[in-house]
Amino acid sequence: MKKRLGFLDRYLTLWIFLAMLVGVGIGYFIPNSADFINSFSSGTTNIPLAIGLILMMYPPLTKIDFSKVPQMFKKPKLLLASLFITWIIGPFLMFLLATFFLKDYPEYMTGLIIIGIAPCIAMVIVWNELAEGNRELTAGLIGINSLLQVFFFSLYAYFYLKIMLPLFGIQGLELNITIAEIAQTVGIYLGIPFALAVISRFAIKKYIVDKFFNQKFIPLVSPITLIALLFTIVVMFSLKGEMIVDLPMDVVRIAIPLVIFFVIMFFLMFFVAKKIGADYRDTAAYRDWE
């Protein structure tokens, strides 16, 4: 029998919007709040955001049976379909939407193109957990796509910003991000929570008992995900709160292509997975990733 969502999880969308409003309020009404938050940074890493994302991913990752992750290769059609949609269709679709809606706003256009070639990682884990998708499959997809981001992000950025834009009558742009910088980011935001999850999972199971891990530890750490998620959203919107209030129409301009992109990607992967014959748990994992 499928579990019922608790009160907090059931109204997660409401809590997210409230967190967004709180973040915008902090950024707009509290002077220098963004500067204060940014003061807790090391290089390009914002420490409060890093802490929030790491804590958000840690509980779901502890529930993954990593010995089962290689089983994803037993379903090559689903894996290839996901990679094709994520790395071929997704970036090109976002490129088209960005150039169509934001041609006169090059900075926003560049930002959307980058989103298209850098699939999200943290939120995938949270949504998959709520949807009761295949955790091991999700972990495998995250690992593969993270490696692809490290090695091919710079190439994709060059291709779409320097080569594709002029073909559409738009001046080419440059984005100087090295493989080392991308690897550092992936290592911090994904490597740390993965390592903590693996260490805690195997240490507790080995030196204590499985019963304690399943009945005590998991219920204890699970609520951290929602708290960290809302904290991260508050911090993110605090950093841009003043800009959001001062430029509301710009927010709408950016939101329109983003909504179109995610709706298309969501249903595309859903129907492709269904066509291939995936069950619910696998479909949820692939669909959440897109």
Side-chain angles (χ1 to χ4, degrees):
M1 183 176 68
K2 295 294 183 181
K3 70 176 182 179
R4 294 174 61 87
L5 290 177
F7 175 78
L8 294 177
D9 291 338
R10 191 180 310 150
Y11 296 99
L12 179 58
T13 302
L14 174 61
W15 312 139
I16 289 175
F17 277 109
L18 289 176
M20 292 165 60
L21 289 174
V22 171
V24 171
I26 292 173
Y28 185 75
F29 292 108
I30 300 179
N32 302 318
S33 57
D35 293 335
F36 176 75
I37 295 173
N38 281 322
S39 67
F40 298 96
S41 298
S42 177
T44 59
T45 301
N46 184 289
I47 296 176
L49 279 179
I51 292 174
L53 289 169
I54 290 169
L55 291 177
M56 181 173 68
M57 289 187 285
Y58 171 71
L61 288 173
T62 60
K63 302 176 185 179
I64 295 172
D65 185 348
F66 292 96
S67 65
K68 295 181 179 179
V69 171
Q71 292 180 6
M72 67 181 296
F73 295 105
K74 294 181 179 180
K75 303 172 182 178
K77 289 184 179 179
L78 276 172
L79 178 59
L80 291 175
S82 176
L83 293 176
F84 181 78
I85 292 174
T86 300
W87 289 98
I88 303 300
I89 295 179
F92 186 65
L93 173 62
M94 184 65 91
F95 175 82
L96 292 178
L97 292 171
T99 54
F100 180 79
F101 286 98
L102 299 170
K103 184 176 181 179
D104 297 327
Y105 301 87
E107 291 184 354
Y108 297 154
M109 179 184 66
T110 302
L112 254 67
I113 293 174
I114 292 174
I115 291 175
I117 61 179
C120 175
I121 292 174
M123 294 309 302
V124 169
I125 299 173
V126 177
W127 300 143
N128 182 74
E129 186 66 21
L130 289 174
E132 295 189 37
N134 188 324
R135 296 185 185 120
E136 290 71 31
L137 181 56
T138 299
L141 286 171
I142 289 172
I144 291 174
N145 283 283
S146 296
L147 289 175
L148 291 175
Q149 280 190 32
V150 169
F151 292 109
F152 295 108
F153 177 86
S154 297
L155 180 62
Y156 262 57
Y158 178 84
F159 174 74
Y160 278 104
L161 297 177
K162 196 70 175 178
I163 297 177
M164 289 294 290
L165 282 179
L167 296 180
F168 283 72
I170 304 173
Q171 183 178 357
L173 302 170
E174 289 188 7
L175 184 67
N176 296 317
I177 300 180
T178 66
I179 291 179
E181 291 172 329
I182 300 170
Q184 180 185 28
T185 301
V186 172
I188 292 173
Y189 292 107
L190 182 61
I192 291 177
F194 252 106
L196 291 175
V198 172
I199 292 171
S200 59
R201 179 182 178 89
F202 285 98
I204 292 174
K205 283 179 170 288
K206 181 176 181 179
Y207 295 106
I208 308 180
V209 290
D210 285 355
K211 185 177 181 180
F212 173 83
F213 180 82
N214 294 321
Q215 298 183 5
K216 299 293 184 180
F217 182 75
I218 291 298
L220 178 66
V221 300
S222 291
I224 296 175
T225 294
L226 177 57
I227 297 171
L229 168 63
L230 298 179
F231 168 78
T232 302
I233 292 173
V234 169
V235 173
M236 291 174 62
F237 279 82
S238 297
L239 293 172
K240 300 297 180 182
E242 188 174 359
M243 181 181 296
I244 291 173
V245 175
D246 291 339
L247 302 170
M249 290 310 300
D250 285 21
V251 176
V252 174
R253 289 189 185 96
I254 296 171
I256 291 173
L258 278 174
V259 170
I260 295 174
F261 174 80
F262 288 118
V263 168
I264 293 175
M265 294 292 286
F266 178 92
F267 285 104
L268 176 62
M269 192 62 230
F270 178 87
F271 287 112
V272 168
K274 183 178 180 181
K275 184 70 174 179
I276 294 175
D279 59 21
Y280 170 79
R281 295 184 71 244
D282 288 351
T283 300
Y286 282 107
R287 185 186 63 197
D288 290 332
W289 175 260
E290 303 308 326

